[in-house]
């Protein structure tokens, strides 16, 4: 499976030749300099919550590509009101089947409001099981005991966890989260974009290495095999 990182918490994976784009935040993203949102491919767009640093390019990319947007019910309603009709609303519950595999929305401990002040509903993470591998996209979240449920639903090949602290988990908490979800390969997200979430990357990697885990921190705009 290939993963392309766009900075902050925005990334895409290619599964069964389908481009799955998460939380498109290129416009206004200081970590995404040199990346053109018009170049991003998307067959599906997954949205963890409504904050501007996760949805700044959502409407434009959805309109350009015709991608199906998967998001919480309130964000889906907001998109419908903006003229985006190819939307699948969901909330925490059981697995839902899509072309790329099965997806389950899970708890994220955060807040969610849309850029125009509209209520954004519950923030979400996603557990995704596919024929090419399984992964967990945590979204913006604090460490939560709910993560211990995830191994009941999926044997993960990798996970994307926020590590910037202040608004989300720290790297130290993400090590605990990796234990909870029984996953040793972690891609760090939601760090270094702004001063308030800057981290010592070498120290964060050392924390994971000490715990017998791998922390991947790809540069924005790069693609890795994972």
């Amino acid at each position: 499976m290939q993963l392309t990182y766009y900075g902050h918490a925005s990334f895409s994976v290619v599964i069964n030749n389908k481009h799955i784009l998460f939380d498109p935040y290129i416009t206004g993203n200081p970590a995404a300099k040199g990346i053109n949102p018009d170049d991003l491919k998307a067959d599906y767009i997954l949205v963890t919550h409504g904050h501007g640093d996760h949805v700044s390019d959502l409407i434009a990319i959805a309109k350009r590509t015709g991608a199906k947007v998967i998001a919480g019910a309130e964000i889906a309603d907001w998109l419908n009101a903006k003229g985006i009709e190819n939307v699948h609303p969901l909330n925490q519950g059981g697995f839902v089947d899509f072309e790329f595999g099965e997806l389950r929305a899970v708890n994220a401990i955060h807040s969610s409001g849309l850029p125009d002040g509209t209520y954004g509903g519950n923030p979400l993470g996603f557990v995704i099981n596919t024929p090419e591998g399984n992964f967990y996209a945590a979204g913006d979240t604090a460490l939560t005991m709910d993560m211990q449920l995830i191994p009941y639903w999926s044997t993960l090949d990798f996970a994307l966890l926020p590590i910037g602290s202040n608004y989300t988990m720290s790297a130290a908490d993400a090590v605990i989260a990796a234990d909870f979800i029984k996953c040793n390969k972690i891609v760090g997200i939601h760090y270094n974009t702004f001063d308030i979430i800057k981290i010592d990357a070498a120290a964060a990697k050392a924390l994971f290495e000490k715990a017998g885990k791998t922390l991947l921190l790809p540069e924005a705009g790069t693609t890795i095999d994972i």
Side-chain angles (χ1 to χ4, degrees):
M1 192 181 302
Q2 286 192 324
L3 182 149
T4 301
Y5 182 57
Y6 301 116
H8 198 57
S10 184
F11 64 96
S12 66
V13 294
V14 180
I15 306 168
N16 192 26
N17 295 317
K18 299 295 181 183
H19 292 262
I20 322 298
L21 176 63
F22 291 74
D23 289 343
Y25 169 51
I26 308 301
T27 302
N29 181 353
K33 292 178 180 177
I35 299 173
N36 185 344
D38 291 337
D39 293 336
L40 271 59
K41 297 179 180 179
D43 297 293
Y44 291 84
I45 304 173
L46 274 61
V47 184
T48 62
H49 66 291
H51 288 161
D53 60 339
H54 292 254
V55 302
S56 70
D57 296 290
L58 171 58
I59 290 174
I61 293 174
K63 286 182 176 179
R64 174 175 58 82
T65 62
K68 180 180 290 294
V69 182
I70 302 171
E74 290 81 4
I75 294 175
D77 288 344
W78 178 76
L79 287 168
N80 288 159
K82 300 288 186 181
I84 306 298
E85 297 181 355
N86 191 12
V87 177
H88 184 102
L90 81 175
N91 221 317
Q92 294 96 329
F95 278 105
V96 180
D97 290 328
F98 294 97
E99 291 174 295
F100 55 82
E102 57 178 20
L103 176 148
R104 184 179 193 124
V106 297
N107 282 345
I109 305 302
H110 196 58
S111 56
S112 181
L114 290 151
D116 62 4
T118 304
Y119 173 56
N122 293 322
L124 302 172
F126 298 112
V127 176
I128 299 173
N129 294 335
T130 85
E132 298 179 23
N134 306 330
F135 65 100
Y136 167 45
D140 284 12
T141 186
L143 180 65
T144 170
M145 298 293 281
D146 289 341
M147 293 171 178
Q148 293 183 81
L149 290 169
I150 289 174
Y152 287 94
W153 303 322
S154 181
T155 300
L156 299 173
D157 295 288
F158 65 94
L160 297 105
L161 302 179
I163 59 173
S165 195
N166 196 76
Y167 299 114
T168 68
M169 289 188 290
S170 64
D173 281 351
V175 171
I176 299 170
D179 280 337
F180 283 179
I181 64 177
K182 298 183 180 180
C183 182
N184 289 331
K185 184 184 290 185
I186 304 300
V187 179
I189 59 171
H190 209 279
Y191 70 97
N192 282 2
T193 318
F194 315 108
D195 286 344
I196 200 168
I197 57 171
K198 284 198 171 176
I199 67 165
D200 182 330
K205 285 186 173 183
L207 283 173
F208 277 78
E209 185 176 356
K210 184 178 180 181
K213 307 177 193 304
T214 300
L215 176 64
L216 303 174
L217 301 176
E219 295 290 327
T222 59
T223 299
I224 60 173
D225 290 314
I226 193 166

